[in-house]
Amino acid sequence: MYFYLALLFSVIVTWVPRILPFPLAKLIQFPDFFKRFLNYLSLSMMTSLMVSELVILHKNALSSLDGLRCLAMIPAMVVGYWRKSLMLAVLTGVVAMALLRLFF
C-alpha cells in the first residue's frame, strides 16, 4: 500500500510543474519579447539534447562525434525544421537510430 501511495504522489508532484503550466499559459497574455523567447525555447532544448548525445567524451583525450548518431540526426533535423515539432523530431531521430542500428 505504501508503494502505491508513494507512486501516486510521485505522479502528482511530477505532473503539476510539467503539465499544468500549459493550460495556464493560454490564459495569460505575454509581452512580445517573451513570445519571441518562447519561439526559440524548443529549438534550444533540442540543440542541447542533440549535442549532449552526439559528443563522446574520452578521459584524457579529445572528444569525438558518434557517426551513427550524426546520421540519425539528419532526418530528425529535417523533420524538426519543417514541422516545428520537438516531439516529432525526437520520434524521427529514435526511429532513424533504430534503423541504423538494425542495418549497421
Side-chain angles (χ1 to χ4, degrees):
M1 183 65 176
Y2 175 76
F3 171 77
Y4 292 113
L5 283 175
L7 184 65
L8 175 69
F9 287 125
S10 298
V11 168
I12 292 170
V13 166
T14 301
W15 181 80
V16 168
R18 293 185 184 184
I19 304 298
L20 196 59
F22 291 109
L24 292 178
K26 292 189 185 276
L27 302 174
I28 300 171
Q29 191 64 260
F30 294 113
D32 287 335
F33 75 91
F34 194 69
K35 288 179 185 177
R36 279 181 292 172
F37 167 76
L38 290 177
N39 283 337
Y40 292 103
L41 189 61
S42 62
L43 178 65
S44 65
M45 289 172 31
M46 189 166 122
T47 303
S48 68
L49 288 171
M50 284 190 324
V51 169
S52 69
E53 285 297 315
L54 292 177
V55 176
I56 301 171
L57 300 176
H58 303 288
K59 191 172 185 176
N60 298 329
L62 291 175
S63 301
S64 62
L65 292 176
D66 187 351
L68 277 179
R69 290 181 181 173
C70 286
L71 286 175
M73 179 192 65
I74 295 169
M77 289 291 291
V78 169
V79 168
Y81 179 77
W82 289 108
R83 300 294 300 199
K84 305 285 192 261
S85 169
L86 182 62
M87 184 60 76
L88 194 57
V90 169
L91 185 61
T92 303
V94 168
V95 169
M97 190 67 198
L99 291 173
L100 285 170
R101 285 186 177 172
L102 181 66
F103 293 117
F104 294 107

